[in-house]
Structures are given as C-alpha cells and as structure tokens.
C-alpha cells in the first residue's frame, strides 16, 4: 500500500492567529470588579481557534486499506459463520481452522479447480497430491537416478513424505500435484507463489509471480517432447486461472540443459543466471504479454 502523505491533510499550526495580519494594534485588555484580568474578544477568538485546531489534528488519520486477499478471507469466514459450522475433525475433535482450508485458494486461486486442459499430446489434468494415494508413486519417481540428481529426495517414503507434507501443511503458497495425461499419472508438479518464496530474494520478483517445478516420472515419457508441451499448457493455464499473475517463472539448474531447453521450447525466455542456496539456476520467464508470440 503506498504511504499516505499526511502533510496533505495537516491542520494549521496550533496557536496561529486567524485575525487580520495587517492589524498591528496592541490587544486591549480589561479587568473585572475583582481586579482579575478578563479576556478580550480578540483573545477569546484565539482560544476558540486553538481548540478547533487541536480537534482538527485529532481527526486527521491515515487512509489505511487492507490487502484484497485478507478482505476475501474475512468475507469467506463471515459467510461460513452465518451457516452451519464445519463438522468435527478426525476422532470427534474440533474441525481444522477455516483458515487452513481456504488459504490455498487465496494464494493460488484454487489449483484443484483449474480443471483439465487440452494439449497437443492429450488431455492433461493437475491433481493436488493426496499423501495416502500418491506417496508410493512419487517416492518411486524420486528414486530414479536421473531425477534424484536434481531433486535430491532419494530414499525411503518418509523422505518424500516430509517434502510433500511441508507444502500440504503450510500456508498454501505451494501446491504439490500429480500430472495426469489421458487418465495416467505421469509427472509431478509444484505450483507455487514465487513472490512469496525464499527465491524472491534472488531475483526481481513481482506480485503474484507463479512458479513451476516439474519432473517427468517415467523414463519412456522423457525425450519426446512431452515436457515442453505440458510446460506450455500449465504455464498458460496458470495465466488463464490467475488474472493477477503477469508471468510464470522457473529456476532449473543451469547445468540441467535438457530442462532449460524444454522451458525455451515451451515459450519461456531465458532472463538471467541466478545464485540460489543450492544451485546456480537459469531464471526462465513466460510473460502474459508475450505468450502469443513465443
């Protein structure tokens, strides 16, 4: 929120004389029957002006405005309070807070509702991860040597599970998904708010920048253009479903030349080399304004 210029609303200085500035006559004074001085008409006017000025100063406030995302959350919470509350949580305890159930909608505009999209390689759907259903499959993909070299999540299910739960239990700034092509799970994705991610410290982030992480799970699906086609489809899906987002970004390792090439083929442009804590990366950007040209 831009700061408000309080000086634009400032009142006259306390004690300023509102009389004729050309009047240089000394103020008259008088006394009552007890000999005590009595305020003249001119002094009374000055006293009233001083009170009015103080009152004006007290009424001068900053024009504060809550962020749109917070206002939307408060409206949603108020609507929920008008009707039946959420049911009990597992084991009969209290249900999870409403905030935990809705914040992901606020930050990434309901990834679960983005729906299927047609692509040159078939109908594709991003499906948010469910640990109980998807952990074994994603763990197997993470243990593929070609994937583990860059994701560094090889090991038992607990390793991948911890990585997934950190997102699912977080504030909704990152949503892990399984990519389903023509009904078959074949890739893992992370859709995240790059402007709210630690990555934002390392590049000139803009509000609502949306980031993408991707891995193609099956060896047979690699090296035949699926990655580029799906990257383009998902980037454009994010731009379509997130009106406030002006660009989609990614940061593959600079040494991962197949990944960088896939992003270029998908209509991303190479923006810069950036140093992240765990790698030197290529900052790839797909701009809303250029999406029909690249």
């Amino acid at each position: 929120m831009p700061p408000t210029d309080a000086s634009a609303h400032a009142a006259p200085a306390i004690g300023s004389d509102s009389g004729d500035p050309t009047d240089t006559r000394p103020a008259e004074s008088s006394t009552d029957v007890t000999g005590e001085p009595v305020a003249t008409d001119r002094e009374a006017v000055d006293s009233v002006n001083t009170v009015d000025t103080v009152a004006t100063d007290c009424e001068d406030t900053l024009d504060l405005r809550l962020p749109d995302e917070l206002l939307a959350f408060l409206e949603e919470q108020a609507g929920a309070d008008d009707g039946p509350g959420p049911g009990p949580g597992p084991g009969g305890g209290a249900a999870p807070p409403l905030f935990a159930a809705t914040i992901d909608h606020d930050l990434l505009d309901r990834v679960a509702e983005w729906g299927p999209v047609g692509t040159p390689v078939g109908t594709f759907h991003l499906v948010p991860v469910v640990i109980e259903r998807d952990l074994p499959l994603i763990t197997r993909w993470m243990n593929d040597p070609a994937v583990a070299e860059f994701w560094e999540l090889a090991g038992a299910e607990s390793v991948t599970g911890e990585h997934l739960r950190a997102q699912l239990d977080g504030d909704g700034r990152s949503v892990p998904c399984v990519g389903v092509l023509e009904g078959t799970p074949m890739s893992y994705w992370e859709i995240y708010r790059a402007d709210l991610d630690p990555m934002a410290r390392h590049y000139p982030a803009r509000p609502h920048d949306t980031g993408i992480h991707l891995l193609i799970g099956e060896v047979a699906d690699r090296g035949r253009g699926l990655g580029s086609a799906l990257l383009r489809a998902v980037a454009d899906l994010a731009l379509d479903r997130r009106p406030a987002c002006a660009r989609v970004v990614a940061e593959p390792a600079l040494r991962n030349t197949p990944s960088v090439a896939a992003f270029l083929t998908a209509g991303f442009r190479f923006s810069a080399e950036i140093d992240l804590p765990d790698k030197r990366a290529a900052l790839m950007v797909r701009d809303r304004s250029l999406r029909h040209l690249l």
Side-chain angles (χ1 to χ4, degrees):
M1 180 186 70
T4 301
D5 184 3
S7 64
H9 308 287
I14 295 178
S16 61
D17 189 353
S18 59
D20 184 353
T22 63
D23 186 352
T24 59
R25 293 173 298 171
E28 298 178 359
S29 62
S30 61
T31 59
D32 63 10
V33 294
T34 64
E36 294 296 325
V38 176
T40 65
D41 290 345
R42 187 183 185 89
E43 291 171 352
V45 170
D46 286 346
S47 176
V48 170
N49 286 342
T50 299
V51 172
D52 288 344
T53 301
V54 173
T56 302
D57 283 344
C58 292
E59 292 172 359
D60 187 18
T61 60
L62 294 177
D63 182 18
L64 299 177
R65 182 175 181 274
L66 293 175
D68 291 338
E69 292 174 358
L70 180 56
L71 290 173
F73 162 65
L74 293 174
E75 279 185 20
E76 194 166 341
Q77 188 178 46
D81 289 343
D82 291 339
L98 177 65
F99 183 79
T102 60
I103 188 65
D104 59 325
H105 300 340
D106 292 340
L107 295 181
L108 280 163
D109 299 297
R110 297 176 170 85
V111 173
E113 298 177 13
W114 286 8
V117 61
T119 78
V121 294
T123 301
F124 182 76
H125 194 181
L126 282 175
V127 180
V129 164
V130 174
I131 290 282
E132 295 76 16
R133 179 192 66 203
D134 302 318
L135 181 58
L137 178 62
I138 299 174
T139 298
R140 179 166 66 81
W141 290 342
M142 291 297 183
N143 278 277
D144 182 318
V147 172
E149 179 181 358
F150 297 102
W151 284 77
E152 300 180 348
L153 289 173
E157 284 190 356
S158 59
V159 176
T160 299
E162 182 178 357
H163 178 76
L164 296 174
R165 288 187 180 91
Q167 298 172 78
L168 295 172
D169 297 340
D171 62 4
R173 70 185 60 193
S174 181
V175 178
C177 298
V178 172
V180 179
L181 181 63
E182 290 293 308
T184 301
M186 47 75 64
S187 53
Y188 171 71
W189 301 72
E190 291 172 355
I191 310 299
Y192 67 100
R193 282 286 295 270
D195 60 320
L196 303 179
D197 189 82
M199 172 188 167
R201 303 170 188 159
H202 303 278
Y203 85 106
R206 298 178 187 172
H208 291 279
D209 275 356
T210 302
I212 290 179
H213 294 147
L214 159 70
L215 72 84
I216 302 296
E218 305 297 338
V219 176
D221 288 331
R222 300 174 196 158
R224 56 190 188 97
L226 285 181
S228 296
L230 297 180
L231 277 171
R232 180 184 292 270
V234 171
D236 287 349
L237 187 63
L239 293 172
D240 289 338
R241 299 293 189 267
R242 304 203 64 233
C245 171
R247 59 186 190 168
V248 178
V249 302
E251 20 61 79
L254 194 61
R255 63 189 178 88
N256 189 352
T257 51
S259 180
V260 174
F263 278 102
L264 290 171
T265 304
F268 286 71
R269 60 180 174 84
F270 174 81
S271 177
E273 294 183 15
I274 57 176
D275 287 312
L276 300 178
D278 59 344
K279 63 184 176 183
R280 185 159 181 79
L283 177 63
M284 311 299 296
V285 179
R286 182 156 176 77
D287 304 275
R288 179 184 295 279
S289 58
L290 301 176
R291 62 187 292 197
H292 298 300
L293 301 177
L294 296 174

